[in-house]
Amino acid sequence: MAKLVQDLMHKGVITCPSDASLGRVALLLTKHHTHALIVADQADQPLGIISDFDLLAGEWLSVDDESLNTMRKLTARDLMTSPIETVTADTSVETAAKRMAEKTIHRMLVTEAGKPVGIISISNFVANIAEQEPVKRQTVGDVMSDTFLVCREDTTVISASRTMTQAGWRSIVVVNAKGKLLGFITGRDLVHLAGKEVDENLKVSQCMNRKIITIDINSSLQQAADLMIQNHRHRVVVIDTNDLDSFPLGILSSFDIVAEMARPESIWQR
């Protein structure tokens, strides 16, 4: 029997008022270990959605005292995305995954009888994949993104944030002068800086995540999904385990797996 969105969604929604400061949004995101909040002033009347990536965009804009003061006055309403993409609870998982892949979004608000009842995100899809019995699927190398952002360890946080925002990407792989993998930096690693004046000399090496989760290029998608769930990660770095000091081969994100689910020839579409 085909699974429905209501079978996988996170029940309930975490909200913030539209006049919440960006600092308050950052605190709520961290407290609830989530990537986004629903902006709402009244129950059952969502106005928009604000994510950690939205905060990142606001952060790198604050490059001088004037823009920093302007940024500090911004609220959730100013940076939220509206209208919110919604999906009904009785929509099939395959249809929801296809919509998210086509629209390049990470989550949708789930409604029932016109009222919000939960959130369906890429992480929910990945968790479901991890629960499946092993079946024949493609390898990590077939699905990974072999084009990705990379920077040196001495790159400034402001420069890295600007690059991530301009490229529309959520992470940068950090390497040393010889190309050896040292870590990566994501929007979540920078959220704690929101609302503060960032030192122009602050380096990514001081903020990056050094707990690198890697996977061999020949591993299965099942193994990748399991690894993401076990480590609560949205992405893993793809390497050649026969040459651990070599430059990273690619990035596999939870979105790459969702895109695979949406392909016509995927087992999810049969």
Side-chain angles (χ1 to χ4, degrees), residues 85 94-106 108 122 255 258-260 262-264 269:
E85 286 290 334
E94 293 86 349
T95 298
K98 185 175 182 179
R99 279 184 58 191
M100 292 176 74
E102 290 175 344
K103 292 179 177 291
T104 320
I105 55 178
H106 291 80
M108 292 189 288
I122 287 175
F255 188 79
V258 171
E260 169 62 19
R263 289 195 310 114
Q269 303 300 324

Side-chain angles (χ1 to χ4, degrees), residues 56-71:
L56 180 60
E59 176 56 42
W60 81 260
L61 288 172
S62 57
V63 295
D64 53 43
D65 289 340
E66 182 178 354
S67 58
L68 178 61
N69 288 332
T70 299
M71 188 274 288

Side-chain angles (χ1 to χ4, degrees), residues 250-266:
I251 295 289
L252 181 73
S253 71
S254 49
F255 188 79
D256 293 324
I257 296 179
V258 171
E260 169 62 19
M261 292 169 63
R263 289 195 310 114
E265 58 270 32
S266 166

Side-chain angles (χ1 to χ4, degrees), residues 4-52:
L4 304 179
V5 167
Q6 63 190 12
D7 299 321
L8 304 188
M9 72 179 189
H10 176 81
K11 296 181 180 179
V13 294
I14 302 172
T15 65
C16 72
S18 63
D19 61 357
S21 68
L22 301 190
R24 177 60 178 166
V25 171
L27 287 174
L28 288 171
L29 288 171
T30 303
K31 175 182 177 180
H32 294 286
H33 302 284
T34 186
H35 287 281
L37 303 172
I38 298 298
V39 181
D41 291 328
Q42 298 182 39
D44 298 339
Q45 293 186 26
L47 302 173
I49 189 167
I50 186 167
S51 70
D52 52 4

Side-chain angles (χ1 to χ4, degrees), residues 23-220:
R24 177 60 178 166
V25 171
L27 287 174
L28 288 171
L29 288 171
T30 303
K31 175 182 177 180
H32 294 286
H33 302 284
T34 186
H35 287 281
L37 303 172
I38 298 298
V39 181
D41 291 328
Q42 298 182 39
D44 298 339
Q45 293 186 26
L47 302 173
I49 189 167
I50 186 167
S51 70
D52 52 4
F53 200 71
D54 295 321
L55 292 190
L56 180 60
E59 176 56 42
W60 81 260
L61 288 172
S62 57
V63 295
D64 53 43
D65 289 340
E66 182 178 354
S67 58
L68 178 61
N69 288 332
T70 299
M71 188 274 288
R72 284 175 172 164
K73 296 176 183 178
L74 295 179
T75 65
R77 181 186 290 275
D78 296 317
L79 289 187
M80 72 181 186
T81 297
S82 181
I84 308 174
E85 286 290 334
T86 63
V87 64
T88 58
D90 58 359
T91 300
S92 71
V93 169
E94 293 86 349
T95 298
K98 185 175 182 179
R99 279 184 58 191
M100 292 176 74
E102 290 175 344
K103 292 179 177 291
T104 320
I105 55 178
H106 291 80
R107 58 191 62 81
M108 292 189 288
L109 179 66
V110 183
T111 62
E112 197 169 59
K115 295 184 178 181
V117 293
I119 297 287
I120 185 76
S121 70
I122 287 175
S123 296
N124 298 131
F125 293 132
V126 174
N128 184 249
I129 290 176
E131 295 173 355
Q132 305 303 306
E133 290 297 323
V135 295
K136 185 177 180 180
R137 295 193 180 109
Q138 294 170 296
T139 66
V140 165
D142 295 320
V143 180
M144 73 177 190
S145 298
D146 52 13
T147 299
F148 52 95
L149 294 180
V150 62
C151 72
R152 293 270 294 273
E153 57 188 315
D154 57 355
T155 300
T156 66
V157 166
I158 291 177
S159 177
S161 298
R162 182 182 300 112
T163 299
M164 290 167 68
T165 304
Q166 291 174 337
W169 289 12
R170 301 173 65 89
S171 64
I172 301 182
V173 172
V174 183
V175 299
N176 65 14
K178 295 184 178 180
K180 182 179 179 180
L181 177 64
L182 299 179
F184 60 89
I185 192 161
T186 71
R188 285 193 65 83
D189 298 318
L190 301 178
V191 162
H192 71 283
L193 297 174
K196 304 175 183 177
E197 185 172 0
V198 179
D199 184 346
E200 62 180 11
N201 296 312
L202 182 65
K203 303 295 192 295
V204 296
S205 58
Q206 297 170 261
C207 298
M208 72 180 185
N209 192 326
R210 295 179 183 274
K211 184 181 178 183
I212 311 167
I213 306 300
T214 62
I215 192 165
D216 185 75
I217 191 171
N218 296 310
S219 299
S220 69

